[in-house]
Amino acid sequence: MHAITAKLEAGVRIDGDDFLRLEREASLHQLGFLADSIRRRKHPEPVVTYVIDRNINYTDICISACKFCAFFKAPEEGSGQVLTRDQLAEKIRETQNLGGTQILLQGGLHPDKPLEFYEDMLRFMKSTGIHIHGFSPPEIFHFSQISGLPVTTVLKRLISAGLNSIPGGGAEILCDRVRNELAPRKCSADQWIAVMEEAHQLGLRTTATMMFGHIETMEERLEHLQRVRDLQDRTGGFTAFIPWPFQPDHTPLSQTRKIEKTSAVLYLRMLALSRIFLDNIRNIQASWVTQGPKIAQLSLFFGANDFGSTMIEENVVAAAGVHFRLSEQEIRRLVKDAGFSPQQRLMDYTPV
């Protein structure tokens, strides 16, 4: 352990063996101390950022049928919906009235909508002046399959229509054993990375996520982090990393397996390990949406420097029975009470 600690104190990158040893042997206190030291080195000023945005799920109709999702509706159910232009406009207007700067736009893998549908939606939304942080890699890969066009062409068309940046959703665990069991109809780990790499090459900034605490092993979590770190070495396109624990309630997976919710301690350990391993990603985001406000405050001492979004609207985690809500005022109070200065930001971390 001393050798690993010495590496980190000297700013030297750790490898996978070091990561696994830290996970096995380091206490919660040790991991927090190491992660906090790295956070302070990268962010000497005691500032915690946040963004005001809204998560718009344009459709819940999805052919992927992921076993961890309580939100989707299968096309044959007939109960799913696609938001209308009027609904989109009202949601954007409400967001802007609350000081919101962006829309997080994600939806199910709809079997029937052509690429032109998404281009038209982007143009309509862009006319409001909002930043569109939209379409995770599985969606973009799906658009490519539906249209028969290469991912590069799809991305160029989406950018031309108004897409500004891409969220890191749909990563789950970037290991095909896990993906084949939980989401066999969704893009592979290599395909997720390929979409992100192409997006970075085209000038889009993106985030990266990890949903952990279900059927994956610690070695598979490491594989996920290694893939993200390797891509960041090549492109530098990730602005932030967001690890969040699987919420099992009401999901198909919880009906076939007994999966306990990830405890606060295990969440904080994984958050700290992510900060320690991802030395080339500047920002680590707390997950108050799944953990609640008090653990999110603690996250600021376990490597997180960003409080994430106000989440004016959130549907996917809520479908699993988790209903934490925070206003901008509450986020600012929580940050101040933890001893930091709150700062509103844009997607690329430019201060507002």
Side-chain angles (χ1 to χ4, degrees):
M1 282 290 296
H2 177 72
I4 300 174
T5 302
K7 270 189 189 182
L8 292 169
E9 288 174 349
V12 175
R13 169 174 284 187
I14 65 168
D15 61 21
D17 290 337
D18 295 331
F19 173 92
L20 292 173
R21 189 173 176 200
L22 279 174
E23 192 279 325
R24 286 192 306 268
E25 300 179 16
S27 68
L28 178 66
H29 174 78
Q30 287 172 315
L31 289 177
F33 178 80
L34 291 170
D36 190 54
S37 297
I38 294 168
R39 177 215 191 282
R40 290 171 186 272
R41 191 185 310 149
K42 289 184 178 294
H43 302 276
E45 297 299 318
V47 172
V48 170
T49 48
Y50 65 93
V51 64
I52 302 179
D53 76 355
R54 182 183 201 132
N55 189 353
I56 295 181
N57 300 112
Y58 55 86
T59 184
D60 55 0
I61 300 169
C62 187
I63 60 172
S64 187
C66 300
K67 294 177 184 176
F68 52 78
C69 182
F71 176 70
F72 82 94
K73 303 288 194 303
E76 61 270 17
E77 286 183 40
S79 58
Q81 63 168 335
V82 178
L83 294 184
T84 65
R85 291 284 174 88
D86 287 345
Q87 288 172 312
L88 282 172
E90 179 60 24
K91 288 176 183 291
I92 294 169
R93 186 159 50 247
E94 288 176 359
T95 303
Q96 291 174 319
N97 288 341
L98 289 168
T101 56
Q102 73 176 28
I103 294 297
L104 173 54
L105 182 70
Q106 297 182 109
L109 308 186
H110 198 292
D112 301 325
K113 298 298 183 186
L115 180 59
E116 289 77 12
F117 168 82
Y118 303 100
E119 291 175 295
D120 289 344
M121 180 166 59
L122 286 172
R123 290 190 194 98
F124 172 74
M125 293 176 67
K126 199 64 188 171
S127 69
T128 68
I130 201 85
H131 178 107
I132 305 172
H133 183 52
F135 303 134
S136 60
E139 291 167 88
I140 290 166
F141 186 78
H142 175 70
F143 302 163
S144 172
Q145 290 186 305
I146 289 285
S147 65
L149 297 170
V151 164
T152 305
T153 303
V154 170
L155 283 168
K156 287 179 177 177
R157 285 177 56 169
L158 294 175
I159 292 168
S160 178
L163 183 64
N164 298 114
S165 57
I166 294 179
E172 280 71 77
I173 295 292
L174 292 172
C175 164
D176 284 335
R177 182 200 72 83
V178 176
R179 300 179 79 78
N180 288 337
E181 182 167 346
L182 295 185
R185 301 180 198 172
K186 193 178 273 188
C187 67
S188 69
D190 284 348
Q191 289 160 343
W192 190 97
I193 289 290
V195 170
M196 284 301 198
E197 185 156 14
E198 190 58 45
H200 294 171
Q201 298 294 354
L202 291 172
L204 289 180
R205 305 303 300 277
T206 78
T207 56
T209 65
M210 176 172 68
M211 183 188 72
F212 65 93
H214 38 89
I215 68 167
E216 84 287 353
T217 65
M218 188 55 66
E219 287 75 14
E220 287 165 339
R221 292 186 197 179
L222 170 60
E223 179 181 345
H224 180 107
L225 293 171
Q226 187 72 59
R227 282 174 175 266
V228 170
R229 191 170 82 173
D230 289 347
L231 178 54
Q232 185 73 343
D233 278 345
R234 296 196 297 274
T235 67
F238 290 123
T239 60
F241 182 73
I242 308 104
W244 60 280
F246 169 58
Q247 304 300 303
D249 293 350
H250 312 304
T251 64
L253 185 60
S254 70
Q255 296 167 15
T256 58
R257 289 185 183 229
K258 179 65 175 174
I259 297 179
E260 299 291 337
K261 279 192 176 181
T262 299
S263 69
V265 167
L266 292 177
Y267 165 71
L268 291 171
R269 288 182 65 86
M270 196 64 234
L271 181 74
L273 285 163
S274 299
R275 174 65 289 169
I276 292 165
F277 191 78
L278 296 175
D279 60 342
N280 56 0
I281 293 183
R282 182 166 169 76
N283 302 295
I284 302 290
Q285 193 177 114
S287 180
W288 67 259
V289 177
T290 62
Q291 296 303 295
K294 293 303 181 185
I295 302 305
Q297 273 186 313
L298 273 178
S299 300
L300 303 178
F301 302 93
F302 283 81
N305 65 286
D306 186 88
F307 223 77
S309 163
T310 54
M311 284 283 181
I312 296 164
E313 175 182 355
E314 197 289 322
N315 301 304
V316 177
V317 173
V322 180
H323 296 285
F324 293 118
R325 283 286 181 271
L326 290 178
S327 66
E328 180 188 13
Q329 291 72 26
E330 289 170 313
I331 286 177
R332 294 184 69 87
R333 179 184 60 78
L334 288 164
V335 169
K336 287 177 181 176
D337 287 353
F340 297 90
S341 299
Q343 173 64 61
Q344 186 186 351
R345 63 167 174 85
L346 303 179
M347 184 271 164
D348 64 358
Y349 283 79
T350 301
V352 173

